Amino acid sequence: VGWTTYELWQLLGRAGYRPSLSVSLLTAAAAFVSVRLPSSAIVFPALTLALLASLAWQLRRAPARPFGDWAVSFAGGFYLGWAGGHLAELVALPPDGRWWLALTLVTAWSADSTAYAFGRLFGRHKLAPAISPGKTWEGYLAGAIVSTVAGAILGTFAPFGAFVGGVAGLLVGTLSVFGDLIESTIKRQAHAKDSGQVIPGHGGIFDRIDSLLWAGVVVFYVAIVNLGTFQLPFP
């Protein structure tokens, strides 16, 4: 989450903002801890500190657009920390969190890969041409179908079963694309092809986990509903 926050900070700077890396990192850390330690007494103080201290710090810097620059710094950090915390928390879910994490990875990667391949071969109708011209409705629907099937197949070997796996796959296939579109929007504003160059030929960490952030949140809530322990991840 820390390095992804740094990449987002760079993108926002290239997009014309003057974001604060300190604000983003503080907020991302507070949000991440709030998900990982929902019953801890430090949760609400951590979020409150991140909110108030970050705003005070941004005003101290006195940029031309203090509130706008603080808003993107805080919102960006909160988004990555909150969603990233859900993704990390999957491994702690019973009965064996590795199955939930595997379900997230398999369904998200199936949706992404299928949407890309099917879209290039058969895509005719653009999904979001102003944001990501390469994405098509044909690829999107194919990705959702394959993700559903992949989740169901994995579920036959996992404790949660094929039905839960298929439901999770359907939701991941239909919703995780928004993670990709959000990052694409930011990169378009920043006139950047990739979020970074950490992975040669594949861009930055944010490029690799944009869809996984949404997929992790989806599978997390599918898991706790299935386990009968549904509650928001804070006291």
Side-chain angles (χ1 to χ4, degrees), residues 25-222:
L25 288 173
L26 172 66
T27 307
F32 187 86
V33 168
S34 297
V35 177
R36 296 305 311 276
L37 303 173
S39 61
S40 172
I42 70 171
V43 169
F44 282 133
L47 287 174
T48 303
L49 176 64
L51 174 67
L52 300 182
S54 64
L55 180 56
W57 176 259
Q58 190 72 10
L59 291 174
R60 172 185 171 276
R61 295 174 66 231
R65 300 174 300 179
F67 191 80
D69 290 335
W70 167 81
V72 296
S73 304
F74 184 88
F78 186 83
Y79 169 57
L80 295 177
W82 192 253
H86 283 78
L87 183 61
E89 186 67 9
L90 288 172
V91 296
L93 294 176
D96 185 345
R98 291 174 295 182
W99 281 109
W100 295 115
L101 179 60
L103 179 63
T104 303
L105 298 176
V106 167
T107 54
W109 288 342
S110 296
D112 282 347
S113 300
T114 303
Y116 175 78
F118 198 89
R120 284 182 63 90
L121 291 173
F122 306 106
R124 297 294 183 270
H125 302 86
K126 300 297 184 181
L127 177 65
I131 300 174
S132 184
K135 287 183 172 53
T136 66
W137 280 104
E138 291 84 356
Y140 171 69
L141 294 174
I145 292 171
V146 172
S147 177
T148 303
V149 173
I153 292 174
L154 178 66
T156 61
F157 302 98
F160 44 77
F163 177 75
V164 172
V167 170
L170 175 61
L171 293 174
V172 168
T174 55
L175 296 176
S176 64
V177 67
F178 288 103
D180 193 326
L181 292 175
I182 287 170
E183 196 210 3
S184 295
T185 301
I186 298 170
K187 290 193 294 186
R188 184 166 290 274
Q189 285 185 263
H191 304 288
K193 182 179 182 295
D194 299 311
S195 66
Q197 300 298 326
V198 175
I199 308 173
H202 295 278
I205 301 298
F206 196 11
D207 295 317
R208 297 301 96 204
I209 68 168
D210 51 3
S211 296
L212 283 176
L213 290 172
W214 279 63
V217 172
V218 168
V219 173
F220 178 88
Y221 287 105
V222 168

